[in-house]
Amino acid sequence: MAIREHVAGIPVWRRMPSKPRPERNEATADVVVVGGGPVGLTVALDLGRRGHHVVLINRLSFVAAGSKAICFAKRTLDIWNRLHVADAMVEKGLVWNLGKVFRGASSEPIYQFDMQPVKEQKMPGFINLQQYHAEDVLIDALDALPNVELRWGHEARAVDHSADGAALTVEASDGSYLLGAKWIIACDGARSPIRGMLGLDFDGQSFEDNFLIADIRMTGRNLAERWFWFDPPFNPGRSALLHQQPDDVWRLDFQLGQGIDKAACVRPENVEPYIRGMLGADIDFQPEWYSVYSFQCRRMARFVHDRVIFAGDSAHLVSPFGARGCNGGIADADNLGWKVDLLLRGEAGPLLLESYNEEAILVADENILNSSRSTSFISPPNEAARHLRDAVLELAAEHDFARPFVNSGRLSDAVGLQGTSLFTPDEEDAEWTGIAPGLPAIDAPVGGGWLLDRLRTGGFTLLTAGDPVDVPRGVDHARLEDLGDSEGLVARRYDLARGSAYLFRPDQYVAARWRRPSRRLVIDAMARAKGSGQ
């Protein structure tokens, strides 16, 4: 294995500066975020950029290395772009849009797919980037905000909450203290201590199959694609996956089956045959990190409990197939940030926070459904399912119609929220081919820049075409004529005929659209989007 500092068996990527406990128990912060992974860092950055006093505590005093999330989807990149950190992610990451699926020993894929079918957008379909690099970018952005404090090596030990506020008992290296909060956001992972302290449910199922991750370092190769194998000769009867990462690191994933000796499976002499079988007998590589994992699909019944809110793995878990875990957690952070902001400003009430339950659970259920279906295809639970899977693979090799049924992990994509409570339905007599209320905005080039950059104001934005609209106070206004839509892509993608208008939420979801907009319609749609006008 590559030599790296370890603490309690966890590999260390970056030591973080430790802070002593405060001299006295503290007055209430606007928000305390528990957990310094990508989800906690993202929601802290969102709220910090909105001007709120945020304290983030993290049990570890370092950023961990090792095998964690590596695949970040376009929707996640669009969210990070809104927070002005995506450019650094993309610059460091390995960009890819194409995935290929192989079967057996054939070097020709039976199926391939494009993760960015709508071209001419700022962000790519996917990047591969080790989680610790993503955390580095987020931490550096947070360190630049004077209203955000990161406390590494501070662990939550007890939580007290009511409808009016919350407090944490926090343990630092030099003692404990009490930290008050108007809101606590628990992003403390799959084993969430906060969830345990509150005695909350976490229902779902565990899967017994096991998978080997081999992160290795090798040079001289370049593969900006995702490769997946069913029944390859180097892992017969099972599956395998290959991703390249930055810094000449490669992620290799091998299905192992049930009832294995996990300790034996990560011994170098047992891992090496898999690696050489996949990449070639003469491959020159250095081991980086080996581990074995199994997985669960679970979620809480509710994500909001008085002043304690759950996001990411603390609220829901999926299998790794489709990269829906961390990407789903970033979607939680995106959904939550603007809503907590409005609550703190006194511009919204409890119904807006209840919409986080509604929308985030819808997204979690969609991800769990797709993840479970992928699991059943990759690791069939019985012989009937295996025969069906093999029949699909046989047909896919020769027939186009069968290829979309090949499920090597339906990769993470933005989940539509159509029909939920905050979105205004279309006018009954209006005909549209554009992006419906409840769907996230799609990017397009405008005036030497990008549409989503124009929509990252942090508030509600009204996009209009042609005829003037009396825009209500507090709404940012973007006129199609001023954007420089020289190629007409915005007009076509949004079906934005003259006189039409779109209202975007702060998270860049479409809140409403009209063929005949008016000041009153915009005001009513904003009230509905804030949970105060159903």
Side-chain angles (χ1 to χ4, degrees), residues 205-242:
Q205 65 179 125
S206 299
F207 294 86
E208 297 180 4
D209 212 343
N210 294 279
F211 293 78
L212 167 69
I213 284 179
D215 282 351
I216 65 170
R217 192 179 297 272
M218 66 176 179
T219 60
R221 294 194 179 193
N222 186 47
L223 182 67
E225 298 174 357
R226 175 191 193 257
W227 283 17
F228 189 98
W229 288 266
F230 288 101
D231 192 25
F234 52 84
N235 196 21
R238 297 189 173 121
S239 64
L241 178 64
L242 173 67

Side-chain angles (χ1 to χ4, degrees), residues 120 444-449 479-492:
E120 296 189 83
V446 292
R479 297 176 69 249
L480 184 63
E481 295 76 17
D482 298 333
L483 290 176
D485 186 27
S486 58
E487 300 178 30
L489 283 178
V490 176
R492 291 197 297 275

